């Protein structure tokens, strides 16, 4: 690992910096190790709402089955679709409900 990884030309404070670091192969395992040891459920999504990282507690708290993660980390849309199919968002078409969840995330992003 490059000893100067923290000095890369990125904003290292806030979510934008964390996302940039998470996209670095050198840093991804460090971030995963950190969130694995947090006493709460944690996920990290990129700007395209693709999951970059999550911890086991997140999966357990939200009762997500292993099959959702078999092909790699799921997107926010995949998680929302699963939740809609099990009735988490009330009655309605699961695809439409999942789309609404994704639209809210796009329109109301958390900024670091």
């Amino acid at each position: 690992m490059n000893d100067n990884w923290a000095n890369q030309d990125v904003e290292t404070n806030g979510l934008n910096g964390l996302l940039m670091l998470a996209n670095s192969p050198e840093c991804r395992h460090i971030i995963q190790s950190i969130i694995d040891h947090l006493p709460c459920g944690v996920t990290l999504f990129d700007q395209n709402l693709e999951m970059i990282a999550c911890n086991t507690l997140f999966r357990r708290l939200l009762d997500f089955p292993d099959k959702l993660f078999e092909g790699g980390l799921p997107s926010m849309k995949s998680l929302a679709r699963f939740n809609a199919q099990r009735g988490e968002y009330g009655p309605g078409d699961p695809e439409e409900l999942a789309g609404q969840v994704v639209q809210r995330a796009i329109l109301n992003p958390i900024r670091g």
Side-chain angles (χ1 to χ4, degrees):
M1 177 194 264
N2 181 349
D3 290 334
N4 293 320
W5 68 269
N7 295 325
Q8 295 176 13
D9 188 26
V10 297
E11 175 188 345
T12 57
N13 296 318
L15 290 176
N16 290 333
L18 185 58
L19 285 173
M20 292 182 80
L21 289 173
N23 283 316
S24 164
E26 294 178 324
C27 300
R28 189 170 292 206
H29 74 280
I30 294 170
I31 291 168
Q32 186 66 53
S33 180
I34 291 168
I35 68 170
D36 283 344
H37 291 89
L38 292 174
C40 58
V42 177
T43 59
L44 181 61
F45 290 91
D46 67 14
Q47 63 275 10
N48 298 317
L49 302 179
E50 295 295 327
M51 188 183 292
I52 295 173
C54 73
N55 63 5
T56 304
L57 192 51
F58 162 78
R59 293 169 62 172
R60 193 173 81 222
L61 288 171
L62 295 175
D63 198 25
F64 286 132
D66 291 338
K67 70 178 179 178
L68 272 176
F69 295 81
E70 284 177 354
L73 296 174
S75 66
M76 183 176 287
K77 176 99 182 219
S78 297
L79 295 175
R81 183 181 307 110
F82 177 82
N83 280 338
Q85 289 169 341
R86 67 180 176 180
E88 297 280 332
Y89 309 131
D93 176 57
E95 284 298 321
E96 185 176 319
L97 294 169
Q100 291 171 5
V101 169
V102 170
Q103 278 305 112
R104 280 194 302 274
I106 290 169
L107 294 174
N108 300 299
I110 298 172
R111 302 203 193 287

